[in-house]
Amino acid sequence: MSASKSAPARADGPPADVSNVLSPADYPNTFAAKTPDRLALVFDKYSFTYAELDRACNAMVTLLGEEGVKSGDRVAYVGRNNDLYFVVMIACMRAGIVLVPVNWRNTAAETRYVFDDSGSKLIFADREFVPICQEADTQNRAMVVVDEDAFRDRLARTAPAPRAAFDPQGNSLQLYTSGTTGKPKGVLTKQFALAVQRHLEKVAPHFNDWQDDEILLSPLPSFHIGGLSWVMTGLCRGVTTHVTPDATPAGILDQCLAHNITRTFMVPTLVRALIGEMMSRDVRVKSLRAIHYGAAPMDAALVERSVGTLGCKFMHYFGMTEISGCVTTLGPDEHDVARPHLLRSVGRALPSFSIEIRGPDKELLKIDEPGEIWIKGPSVFTEYWNRPEATTEALIDGWYRSGDGGRLDADGYLYLTDRIKDMINSGGENVYPAEVEAVLRDHPAILDCAVFGLPHPKWGEGVTAAIELKPGQTTDADDVIAFARKSLAAYKIPRRIELGVTLPRTASGKVQRGAIRKHFLDKE
């Protein structure tokens, strides 16, 4: 039954028992006992059955000890998607070590910050990222190159560590989110939080059509909560997951055709591009049962085109690092072009989650009234590493203040509005304006700037910079971009530069980012 317009803007997912969920550290051994010879992970020419994966994880525990890492320490990982990333992750869980995935697109300065802030004792890296890691590492940490056969041979020769008790309530991941004040924050995530997310997805109504013969493809970056969660979803269900670093439309299509992929996880921009690739090659993936996607809603025209071209179901997730995965889902039956308003939503609350929309004074708002999204659930993060003030601000009486704007309708569907934190979502990557602005203000010709997102046909939002120059100074867009490239990952660099702008300010002198963004939106 729909709620009245005067009802409080709160939505609760159905209750679920999360008292005894299976830890991700136990996924390999659980299915090694049930289906030992079933393929668990496949990467390029390499593969692990569930029995082999369990052994490899225990061997990695031994190897971590050989490298001098012990329980409570942190280990950084800088590399593209591969199977060994998950061996390292599970081994760290079993050994009580916290894994710190690092965005391989980061510059040396950005990587150095993560290394130093996390206090990582050991670095796992792909060969191609060794130079940038060496430049970033000022403490001469031990480094292990993972994407070479020599490391696989070492792992195969290493004796597995004996099974030891581990704490499922212990911290297992420290994922860094872009910082609204210019520096990323390390989000501490418990094993239990990751386990609860996988469990709730299994018991949610939208997920009851999974079969034992599923073959998953994971093309999204594993340093993101979305990419790593998708692989863990496959391991939780005891099915086969193909991991690939090739997230191009051609590469995804080739993988789907070669391996009879039944499900994959992408962002809408990739869905659109995949359709284009299929049309240009005049091929279809008959094995594909569902595309799971996140980062942004899909418009009705894209859904209609996708269903007609791909012939499979669609599932939408809305979540964040601080929730260890998703908080809402929009199911296949809700991807209905006859109800386009649902496609503008991000779905309804996952079991055991509650969502509220609150105003600037933390007051509970009413149905359809826009405000800040507050979330309560069993997989909310523990803390921001070494950021007690930020933690206190974000976690209040068991609720997580997301900083994102939204509204709830009378049926409990969540709709995103302007982001409270001004975050830009460009091609599935989160970009925070303050971080980009801090870099641009160091340019010798720039007096001040405002960075914001504008609609982009390919990336969803394009990073835009409006720049006010110092009196008597000149520069051009190419120079500004080259300057930014020295300090920022490629996806954070503005795609559009507007020079010579007089920025609107408040009486106190603060730049009104919203006003300048509205000015350019009105000009579109």
Side-chain angles (χ1 to χ4, degrees):
M1 178 180 292
S2 298
S4 90
K5 291 283 186 178
S6 61
R10 174 170 176 145
D12 298 303
D17 181 10
V18 297
S19 60
N20 192 26
V21 296
L22 184 66
S23 169
D26 279 326
Y27 294 164
N29 55 285
T30 296
F31 290 100
K34 295 178 180 178
T35 52
D37 298 327
R38 178 177 290 172
L39 287 176
L41 293 175
V42 181
F43 171 74
D44 195 22
K45 63 183 179 180
Y46 307 103
S47 64
F48 287 107
T49 65
Y50 274 94
E52 291 167 343
L53 178 61
D54 186 43
R55 187 227 177 259
C57 292
N58 284 335
M60 188 68 76
V61 171
T62 300
L63 190 149
L64 287 166
E66 291 175 351
E67 293 292 338
V69 187
K70 62 184 183 301
S71 179
D73 287 342
R74 278 156 175 75
V75 168
Y77 192 109
V78 187
R80 298 180 187 271
N81 289 8
N82 72 22
D83 53 339
L84 292 177
Y85 172 87
F86 296 95
V87 175
V88 173
M89 179 188 294
I90 293 169
C92 284
M93 291 180 184
R94 291 181 174 184
I97 295 165
V98 178
L99 180 66
V100 182
V102 183
N103 187 335
W104 53 261
R105 298 187 180 101
N106 281 356
T107 63
E110 291 167 320
T111 301
R112 181 181 305 117
Y113 173 79
V114 175
F115 285 171
D116 292 347
D117 184 73
S118 66
S120 292
K121 299 291 182 63
L122 173 69
I123 300 168
F124 286 97
D126 285 356
R127 172 60 65 185
E128 67 174 302
F129 302 120
V130 167
I132 200 168
C133 287
Q134 290 174 332
E135 182 182 349
D137 180 22
T138 59
Q139 298 182 24
N140 197 30
R141 298 171 175 87
M143 190 181 307
V144 177
V145 178
V146 292
D147 63 334
E148 295 180 342
D149 284 343
F151 179 65
R152 291 182 184 271
D153 291 342
R154 178 185 173 187
L155 187 64
R157 294 193 307 269
T158 300
R163 187 75 176 166
F166 58 85
D167 181 10
Q169 292 291 342
N171 292 317
S172 61
L173 286 175
Q174 189 163 313
L175 294 161
Y176 277 78
T177 64
S178 295
T180 58
T181 57
K183 292 295 185 182
K185 297 190 292 289
V187 179
L188 273 175
T189 302
K190 293 181 181 293
Q191 287 189 43
F192 178 75
L194 295 170
V196 163
Q197 274 284 321
R198 309 290 78 76
H199 174 73
L200 294 179
E201 291 169 5
K202 288 179 73 173
V203 301
H206 294 322
F207 296 85
N208 61 12
D209 64 340
W210 284 62
Q211 301 175 38
D212 290 339
D213 63 347
E214 301 285 358
I215 303 175
L216 277 54
L217 176 67
S218 185
L220 295 185
S222 297
F223 58 75
H224 273 182
I225 191 66
L228 73 88
S229 291
W230 183 241
V231 176
M232 300 309 279
T233 293
L235 295 178
C236 174
R237 292 174 177 271
V239 299
T240 301
T241 302
H242 288 253
V243 180
T244 177
D246 186 356
T248 64
I252 291 172
L253 180 54
D254 288 342
Q255 291 274 335
C256 288
L257 292 170
H259 304 297
N260 294 317
I261 299 299
T262 62
R263 295 176 188 268
T264 186
F265 182 70
M266 296 188 288
V267 295
T269 51
L270 268 179
V271 177
R272 185 179 290 108
L274 181 61
I275 292 172
E277 183 71 18
M278 287 184 178
M279 298 296 286
S280 67
R281 289 161 61 171
D282 193 26
V283 295
R284 302 292 182 272
V285 183
K286 296 180 180 179
S287 60
L288 202 59
R289 297 169 186 165
I291 286 181
H292 301 242
Y293 70 96
M298 293 219 306
D299 59 82
L302 179 57
V303 169
E304 188 169 18
R305 186 179 174 203
S306 300
V307 171
T309 303
L310 302 176
C312 65
K313 298 177 181 178
F314 287 85
M315 169 77 79
H316 183 205
Y317 303 77
F318 167 65
M320 56 209 68
T321 305
E322 286 87 345
I323 304 298
S324 311
C326 66
V327 63
T328 67
T329 58
L330 188 74
D333 57 326
E334 294 162 321
H335 283 73
D336 183 358
V337 294
R339 296 182 291 168
H341 67 285
L342 292 186
L343 296 171
R344 293 192 289 272
S345 82
V346 292
R348 291 189 279 194
L350 204 65
S352 295
F353 275 92
S354 297
I355 300 171
E356 290 186 350
I357 307 298
R358 300 198 192 185
D361 296 322
K362 305 176 186 177
E363 75 278 17
L364 185 60
L365 301 179
K366 299 187 184 304
I367 291 297
D368 281 328
E369 195 173 355
E372 184 179 10
I373 301 169
W374 288 47
I375 300 165
K376 178 181 281 188
S379 63
V380 172
F381 76 117
T382 306
E383 63 177 292
Y384 291 120
W385 175 247
N386 284 338
R387 301 287 187 89
E389 292 182 0
T391 302
T392 300
E393 182 180 350
L395 297 175
I396 300 175
D397 297 329
W399 289 89
Y400 166 57
R401 297 184 60 176
S402 73
D404 291 333
R407 65 178 177 85
L408 282 167
D409 73 7
D411 295 312
Y413 287 92
L414 178 65
Y415 296 78
L416 303 184
T417 59
D418 286 341
R419 295 177 178 90
I420 304 297
K421 296 177 182 175
D422 291 329
M423 183 181 74
I424 301 166
N425 190 297
S426 184
E429 292 280 3
N430 293 339
V431 181
Y432 284 90
E435 184 181 9
V436 182
E437 289 167 352
V439 170
L440 296 183
R441 289 191 186 107
D442 285 338
H443 190 286
I446 293 176
L447 175 65
D448 211 344
C449 60
V451 172
F452 46 90
L454 289 177
H456 191 284
K458 181 177 181 181
W459 304 111
E461 286 185 299
V463 181
T464 305
I467 293 174
E468 187 171 346
L469 297 173
K470 294 177 180 177
Q473 295 290 321
T474 61
T475 186
D476 58 31
D478 289 341
D479 179 60
V480 172
I481 290 171
F483 181 84
R485 190 170 285 124
K486 297 175 184 177
S487 302
L488 295 170
Y491 68 89
K492 300 176 185 176
I493 295 172
R495 299 180 181 277
R496 175 177 171 180
I497 304 287
E498 294 287 341
L499 292 166
V501 176
T502 300
L503 297 172
R505 290 177 169 82
T506 64
S508 63
K510 184 178 179 180
V511 173
Q512 294 178 300
R513 186 188 291 131
I516 192 68
R517 180 176 184 271
K518 183 178 185 301
H519 170 75
F520 282 102
L521 279 173
D522 291 342
K523 288 175 60 178
E524 293 291 303

